[in-house]
């Protein structure tokens, strides 16, 4: 599969049909939830099949500009949010599950609920609901390619997000082409990010890629989620060129950046 096609399969909708997902498809989603749950002992997914309860409880409190996304079903991820690494992992795991859901020909939409008060979340999600900060709305909606170049916001160029040797040393398209990496970086830069901040930066040094997050007051939590998402995309893109490695996560403060981890080529 072409890398660009992989990304363009992602669909995000805000208007869902009033149509429930068939029981056999929900069963497949639950199977995928269990598989991804097992990747991290501290993570647990929940499927809320009665979407109307979630929608009514969060209307005016979550969504986009206070307008909650109404969907037949929602999925939440319970994760201890006191740790930066857990926030990063939340983005990775949620997008991994989101990918499996999209592959079932369903539509999805991320919803942030970290600003919702704990009492409301516990009443809707259960006793541990305070540890759910993100939902995925799932169902059937109008089709829209999340990364369609015609409708997405402006993106940084490959040369603006990738460097060589140090974060201040420019890189050339020719160097990346010779390493077989230009298409990978060209594709993943269309990943979504909070307020289109695009916090990711990558540095190639020796035989590894290092990932960094640009820090910004008040935005670091959302940016960590975005970094988790793009690390997942990076791994998936790398598989298409025969590199089946995983990111080694090592969070380290680097002044205006947070070093997130490294990936061996």
């Amino acid at each position: 599969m072409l890398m660009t096609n992989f990304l363009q399969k992602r669909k995000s909708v805000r208007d869902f049909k009033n149509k429930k997902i068939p029981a056999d498809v929900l069963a497949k989603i639950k199977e995928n939830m269990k598989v991804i749950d097992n990747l991290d002992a501290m993570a647990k997914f929940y499927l809320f099949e009665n979407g109307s309860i979630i929608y009514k409880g969060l209307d005016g409190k979550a969504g986009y500009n206070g307008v909650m996304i109404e969907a037949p079903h929602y999925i939440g991820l319970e994760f201890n949010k006191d740790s930066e690494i857990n926030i990063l992992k939340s983005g990775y795991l949620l997008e991994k599950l989101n990918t499996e859901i999209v592959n079932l020909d369903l539509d999805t939409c991320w919803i942030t609920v970290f600003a919702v008060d704990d009492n409301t979340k516990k009443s809707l999600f259960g006793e541990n609901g305070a540890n759910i900060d993100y939902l995925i709305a799932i169902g059937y909606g109008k089709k829209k390619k999340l990364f369609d170049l015609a409708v997405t916001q402006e993106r940084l160029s490959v040369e603006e997000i990738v460097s060589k040797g140090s974060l201040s040393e420019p890189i050339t398209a020719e160097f990346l082409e010779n390493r077989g990496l230009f298409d990978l970086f060209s594709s993943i830069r269309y990943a979504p990010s909070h307020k289109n901040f695009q916090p990711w930066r990558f540095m190639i040094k020796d035989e590894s890629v290092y990932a960094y997050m640009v820090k910004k007051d008040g935005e670091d939590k959302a940016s960590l989620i975005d970094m988790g998402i793009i690390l997942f995309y990076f791994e998936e893109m790398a598989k298409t060129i025969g590199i089946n490695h995983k990111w080694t996560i090592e969070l380290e403060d680097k002044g205006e950046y947070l070093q997130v981890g490294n990936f061996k080529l």
Side-chain angles (χ1 to χ4, degrees):
M1 180 189 300
L2 294 175
M3 296 179 185
T4 51
N5 288 343
F6 178 89
L7 287 174
Q8 288 176 351
K9 283 183 66 180
R10 271 50 185 173
K11 310 174 183 71
S12 180
V13 303
R14 297 187 184 181
D15 295 315
F16 287 87
K17 297 177 182 178
N18 185 19
K19 177 184 177 182
K20 292 186 177 181
I21 297 173
D24 62 322
V25 180
L26 287 177
K28 292 179 181 178
I29 293 173
K30 291 176 182 177
E31 290 175 7
N32 288 321
M33 289 165 56
K34 289 181 181 178
V35 170
I36 299 175
D37 270 344
N38 290 333
L39 297 178
D40 195 300
M42 298 180 67
K44 183 171 178 57
F45 284 104
Y46 295 89
L47 174 62
F48 304 105
E49 296 191 38
N50 191 338
S52 62
I53 293 176
I54 304 299
Y55 169 73
K56 291 174 183 176
L58 293 177
D59 194 25
K61 298 181 178 182
Y64 293 83
N65 298 319
V67 179
M68 179 60 181
I69 305 301
E70 186 173 8
H73 316 285
Y74 300 88
I75 291 173
L77 173 61
E78 177 194 333
F79 221 142
N80 186 321
K81 55 189 177 184
D82 294 332
S83 162
E84 285 185 331
I85 196 168
N86 284 350
I87 297 172
L88 179 79
K89 288 179 179 180
S90 293
Y92 182 101
L93 294 174
L94 274 166
E95 194 55 34
K96 187 173 183 66
L97 178 60
N98 189 60
T99 298
E100 299 299 332
I101 295 171
V102 168
N103 286 337
L104 294 173
D105 293 324
L106 296 170
D107 296 302
T108 66
C109 182
W110 276 61
I111 302 169
T112 60
V113 295
F114 56 74
V116 177
D117 65 277
D118 288 352
N119 287 335
T120 296
K121 290 201 285 188
K122 287 180 180 179
S123 70
L124 293 172
F125 307 142
E127 182 179 353
N128 296 323
N131 287 325
I132 294 178
D133 279 349
Y134 292 88
L135 299 175
I136 299 177
I138 60 174
Y140 301 96
K142 295 181 179 179
K143 305 295 182 182
K144 184 177 76 169
K145 292 179 181 177
L146 182 59
F147 303 127
D148 192 325
L149 305 191
V151 298
T152 52
Q153 295 171 300
E154 185 178 354
R155 293 297 193 267
L156 297 171
S157 68
V158 171
E159 291 81 1
E160 288 176 301
I161 65 170
V162 187
S163 59
K164 182 178 69 172
S166 72
L167 287 171
S168 60
E169 185 176 345
I171 202 164
T172 65
E174 181 181 12
F175 176 86
L176 291 172
E177 288 280 10
N178 290 339
R179 297 296 303 268
L181 297 172
F182 183 82
D183 286 345
L184 186 156
F185 285 111
S186 183
S187 295
I188 65 170
R189 67 195 179 97
Y190 286 101
S193 63
H194 181 64
K195 298 180 181 178
N196 197 36
F197 183 46
Q198 304 169 68
W200 40 76
R201 298 294 184 270
F202 299 94
M203 179 186 70
I204 299 176
K205 185 175 182 180
D206 300 325
E207 293 302 314
S208 295
V209 177
Y210 294 83
Y212 295 83
M213 182 191 87
V214 179
K215 292 192 276 184
K216 185 177 181 180
D217 289 344
E219 302 293 346
D220 285 355
K221 182 174 183 178
S223 290
L224 278 167
I225 287 287
D226 295 338
M227 290 302 300
I229 293 171
I230 204 165
L231 295 190
F232 167 72
Y233 289 148
F234 188 102
E235 288 183 358
E236 293 302 305
M237 297 299 100
K239 289 176 185 177
T240 69
I241 56 175
I243 304 176
N244 293 291
H245 299 161
K246 296 287 186 181
W247 284 95
T248 298
I249 304 301
E250 295 176 342
L251 301 184
E252 185 176 348
D253 193 338
K254 296 289 185 179
E256 62 182 308
Y257 300 99
L258 177 69
Q259 181 175 306
V260 174
N262 65 84
F263 182 96
K264 292 191 179 299
L265 296 172

